[in-house]
Amino acid sequence: MIFKKYVDALKLNKWLPDFRDTELNYCASDFHSCSDLAPYLGSKFSEIGGALSASFLRVDDEDASNKRLSYDLELRYQDNNLYVFSLNIDNQSFKEYGDEGEWEMIGGFVLSAPSELESPEFGWIMDRLEGLVDEPSEELWNKWQKEEEVAA
């Protein structure tokens, strides 16, 4: 009974058939595409070489009009799991030039090893991805890095 209230409150009845169709198509296909994992991923996501990428902004709670973080995240699907493949975080500040202005990068972080995902810099995003995305093993990470070098 509680589950029905949850489904009704989130209007899941409208979306569950689409997710079921997507799952059936995905399971029946010999070629698995990240974009087939869920319907309606939308234009914010793109599929690049087996990775699912998304960019988003997080504003500074104390100074939202002048500071923000830009996250560029890529997820890779392998062996029925999603893994963090790439993560760049740019610290940005708004600089005014007369009547105009623009966002400028004033620092940031680039993921260079999976063990860094446990650091405070990446903690905010990893907390939100908990249970959805896994940290790749060093072996898997190194394999992907070699594949990227060969592709380049």
Side-chain angles (χ1 to χ4, degrees):
M1 198 63 143
I2 293 174
F3 181 70
K4 183 174 178 357
K5 289 181 181 180
Y6 178 78
V7 168
D8 291 343
L10 296 177
K11 299 185 181 358
L12 292 178
N13 285 329
K14 178 179 179 182
W15 302 109
L16 287 175
D18 292 335
F19 276 92
R20 180 71 178 145
D21 289 344
T22 300
E23 179 187 10
L24 291 174
N25 290 337
Y26 181 83
C27 292
S29 173
D30 290 334
F31 175 75
H32 297 298
S33 170
C34 290
S35 59
D36 293 334
L37 292 174
Y40 313 114
L41 284 176
S43 61
K44 293 182 181 177
F45 292 92
S46 62
E47 199 169 328
I48 305 166
L52 188 67
S53 65
S55 297
F56 59 95
L57 299 172
R58 175 182 165 208
V59 296
D60 187 299
D61 292 337
E62 296 175 13
D63 194 5
S65 62
N66 291 314
K67 294 181 182 176
R68 69 183 185 187
L69 295 171
S70 172
Y71 289 80
D72 290 316
L73 172 68
E74 287 187 46
L75 305 177
R76 183 165 278 196
Y77 178 77
Q78 182 146 348
D79 300 325
N80 296 319
N81 290 310
L82 279 175
Y83 296 96
V84 173
F85 173 65
S86 171
L87 178 55
N88 299 330
I89 304 171
D90 292 331
N91 192 349
Q92 299 178 343
S93 178
F94 192 78
K95 302 290 182 188
E96 290 188 37
Y97 303 104
D99 294 338
E100 298 181 15
E102 62 183 36
W103 289 95
E104 294 181 351
M105 189 177 87
I106 57 172
F109 306 95
V110 176
L111 183 66
S112 59
S115 59
E116 292 178 343
L117 291 170
E118 298 172 15
S119 70
E121 294 81 14
F122 299 107
W124 182 85
I125 187 67
M126 293 309 295
D127 287 347
R128 279 142 187 85
L129 294 173
E130 187 175 343
L132 302 172
V133 176
D134 293 326
E135 178 183 311
S137 66
E138 289 289 333
E139 180 183 355
L140 187 56
W141 177 268
N142 292 333
K143 176 186 171 205
W144 288 342
Q145 298 310 309
K146 287 179 185 174
E147 290 174 359
E148 289 297 306
E149 290 172 10
V150 170

